[in-house]
Amino acid sequence: MSLGVALIGIGFMGKCHAMAWRNVATAFGGVPPRLEVLADATAPADLARAWGFARATGDWQAAVSDPAVDVVSVTTPNGLHRPMAEAALRAGKHVWLEKPMALTLADAQAMANLAAAHPGQVTLLGYNYLRSPAFQAARAMVADGVIGTPLAFRGVYDEDYSADPSLPWSWRMTHEGGGLGALGDLGCHLVSVMVALMGPVAELTAMTQIAVPTRPSPEGPRAVENEDSALALIRFASGAQGSFATSRVARGRKCRLQWEVHGSEGTLVFDQEHMNELWVHRAGDAGFTRHLTGPEQPDFAAFCPAPGHGFGFNEQKVVECRDLIRAIRGGAPCGPDFAAGLRIERIIHAMATSAGRPVSLEGA
């Protein structure tokens, strides 16, 4: 039996979810989902048809409660994540929610509690960079001891979409509408990668910066409330150490999700701007070896049988969609679910509040 889908939101990630739902059966087989409702305040009937949805509505609550809907994709601005996800859970639906999980740590905790009270319903957060073949291969190498014991992690996620000081003020720059700034938009992705490779965080020390304190608006200059950048030093529960940096004002950077894992017997290096390359060094090698993505890596062959032809951003989302459907049908659990998402939120909120003082996360 096919799954009925409601998609809320028609922005960048809304389109990404729509393509994933339409392409998942083509890539991985199985029964195609039924695209039932596209919900947005503009009620775009033409867009619903173009994206393959049976109908459109301007009432997201009607979409969530629709009896033909089994799973709800939420791709709206951050401030709507909690009410929409909770309404979907209470309506008996599975939930695919874009990151960040919520505006505040209290909101994320409430959402995780509600999900725990609905154990038969699957929740998944949109940390799509965990699905790239190169990352999946790297995680397997770490787990298999290919680089020995992980000793250190260095990670950066920089973009420049807010670097221009003439960029108009928006909801993204407020606590009420956006929550955290660079940490919520970008840093949480880096945290998802970091903990998948290195395990839990025990302690961190961080500082944040608002590089452009005010932005122009029709009413005049308005204050920017959340961080443009953040830096952190980290101690993992394993005893390994880490460094973390994220910025939305890094000139010239477009999607620099770059990380390294230093192990006792080797090093792994990856950069999302070159997402089809994984660099590996093993003890005794003269330098690094470039590994191109290809069908020998997880999930690549579902899209292309030839190595070196490239894997893309949207393909990651199709893999994520496949994992969600498998979990709904009783297969392997997928993640990060809301419980794991809460742990990510604890880390980024600790960074936001550290102000240079150590924050313990052990037992969190």
Side-chain angles (χ1 to χ4, degrees):
M1 181 177 177
S2 62
L3 293 171
V5 177
L7 169 58
I8 311 175
I10 60 171
F12 170 28
M13 295 312 299
K15 186 174 184 179
C16 191
H17 275 234
M19 288 191 289
W21 284 116
R22 293 195 69 174
N23 291 323
V24 65
T26 301
F28 294 107
V31 180
R34 290 177 288 105
L35 306 188
E36 293 287 349
V37 190
L38 179 63
D40 190 82
T42 61
D46 291 347
L47 191 61
R49 285 192 292 272
W51 287 7
F53 284 83
R55 55 195 181 279
T57 181
D59 182 356
W60 68 263
Q61 292 172 318
V64 164
S65 60
D66 192 310
V69 170
D70 303 297
V71 56
V72 179
S73 282
V74 180
T75 69
T76 55
N78 304 348
L80 296 170
H81 285 190
R82 180 181 176 182
M84 289 179 173
E86 290 188 340
L89 286 170
R90 291 191 175 103
K93 317 298 185 184
H94 309 284
V95 180
W96 188 9
L97 175 65
E98 272 308 305
K99 43 59 61 184
M101 188 171 172
L103 293 178
T104 68
L105 190 55
D107 285 343
Q109 180 71 69
M111 294 163 68
N113 290 346
L114 185 61
H118 292 75
Q121 293 162 236
V122 174
T123 59
L124 177 64
L125 288 158
Y127 286 105
N128 46 279
Y129 298 115
L130 300 175
R131 265 70 187 187
S132 80
F135 175 79
Q136 293 189 64
R139 180 160 55 179
M141 288 183 185
V142 171
D144 293 343
V146 171
I147 62 167
T149 302
L151 302 175
F153 175 90
R154 293 180 183 174
V156 177
Y157 193 175
D158 290 340
E159 295 195 15
D160 67 355
Y161 58 84
S162 293
D164 184 353
S166 66
L167 182 76
W169 178 93
S170 77
W171 60 267
R172 287 189 178 277
M173 298 163 185
T174 69
H175 294 305
E176 182 178 5
L180 298 179
L183 285 166
D185 279 349
L186 306 175
C188 60
H189 272 303
L190 180 55
V191 169
S192 74
V193 167
M194 180 178 74
V195 297
L197 293 169
M198 303 295 294
V201 172
E203 183 181 65
L204 62 83
T205 303
M207 62 177 66
T208 61
Q209 178 189 50
I210 298 177
V212 184
T214 62
R215 297 277 183 177
S217 78
E219 296 79 31
R222 298 192 63 171
V224 173
E225 298 174 359
N226 52 28
E227 74 288 343
D228 288 318
S229 62
L231 302 170
L233 297 176
I234 293 161
R235 181 173 62 82
F236 296 97
S238 66
Q241 62 182 8
S243 65
F244 170 105
T246 189
S247 175
R248 63 186 181 189
V249 293
R251 292 278 189 180
R253 298 300 186 184
K254 303 306 176 186
C255 189
R256 190 198 179 200
L257 176 56
Q258 191 276 334
W259 51 261
E260 301 183 3
V261 178
H262 301 169
S264 59
E265 300 295 329
T267 298
L268 301 176
V269 178
F270 175 82
D271 188 335
Q272 177 66 23
E273 290 185 349
H274 302 275
M275 68 173 292
N276 286 287
E277 300 177 358
L278 178 66
W279 291 84
V280 181
H281 171 81
R282 295 179 177 87
D285 292 349
F288 283 84
T289 300
R290 183 180 70 152
H291 292 251
L292 286 175
T293 53
E296 75 282 359
Q297 293 176 324
D299 295 319
F300 185 99
F303 299 90
C304 180
H309 282 55
F311 192 91
F313 178 89
N314 289 301
E315 281 81 357
Q316 295 175 131
K317 218 66 185 176
V318 179
V319 177
E320 194 171 78
C321 186
R322 185 276 315 271
D323 291 347
L324 173 64
I325 291 172
R326 280 183 176 174
I328 290 172
R329 297 197 182 284
C334 61
D337 62 7
F338 281 11
L342 176 60
R343 293 191 287 273
I344 294 172
E345 293 289 325
R346 284 173 174 154
I347 292 169
I348 61 173
H349 283 275
M351 291 179 183
T353 58
S354 167
R357 299 183 301 272
V359 177
S360 173
L361 286 135
E362 290 183 307

